[in-house]
Amino acid sequence: MSTWLDEIRWDNQGLVPVIAQDANSQRILMFAYANREAVALTAEKGTAHYWTRSRQKLWHKGEESGHFQHVREIRLDCDGDVIIYSIDQEGGIACHTGRESCFFRVLRDGVWEITDEVKKDPSQIYAHGHGH
């Protein structure tokens, strides 16, 4: 029996790109990949799950940092190959650097300028290593 998960166009590694977007401000907070299990768990449990390519494992965002992402909506794009998690970000920090968003650098005159303050020192967030 075909399910909604079968309508997602998974890449050749069984992954789909996921954009985490703040449900209130609409700011892009994070980009990651998810496999079928991660997307299914996100829908079932209501908190964001991903697949970490560097560690090759299922990643329940917040399991180490406590910064869980409460998913209000899961959206699929027109081609079926990109997903958006519309989220409420616990602690207001999505990035392992301790910033609100992973997209904290902006190109200005040929230089990447940092636009966001660190809200919390990563060493206080992660007991062992960083989050990605």
Side-chain angles (χ1 to χ4, degrees), residues 15-21 29-39 41-42 47-53 55-63 67-71 83-87 89 94 132:
L15 301 175
V16 66
V18 180
I19 296 160
Q21 184 175 33
L29 299 179
M30 214 178 87
F31 171 85
Y33 287 89
N35 63 0
R36 192 182 178 98
E37 184 186 6
V39 176
L41 281 168
T42 299
T47 53
H49 291 69
Y50 302 95
W51 175 260
T52 159
R53 292 180 305 166
R55 293 185 290 172
Q56 287 291 300
K57 66 189 268 270
L58 193 69
W59 167 30
H60 184 197
K61 172 71 177 168
E63 64 192 347
H67 300 150
F68 294 98
Q69 294 176 339
H70 302 279
V71 179
I83 282 176
I84 294 176
Y85 290 166
S86 179
I87 64 161
Q89 176 65 62
H132 294 342

Side-chain angles (χ1 to χ4, degrees), residues 67-106:
H67 300 150
F68 294 98
Q69 294 176 339
H70 302 279
V71 179
R72 287 203 207 168
E73 266 183 351
I74 299 174
R75 287 185 177 254
L76 185 63
D77 85 332
C78 55
D79 295 323
D81 61 1
V82 179
I83 282 176
I84 294 176
Y85 290 166
S86 179
I87 64 161
D88 292 316
Q89 176 65 62
E90 213 168 297
I93 297 171
C95 185
H96 77 275
T97 65
R99 292 178 174 89
E100 176 189 19
S101 170
C102 294
F103 297 93
F104 57 83
R105 288 178 286 199
V106 65

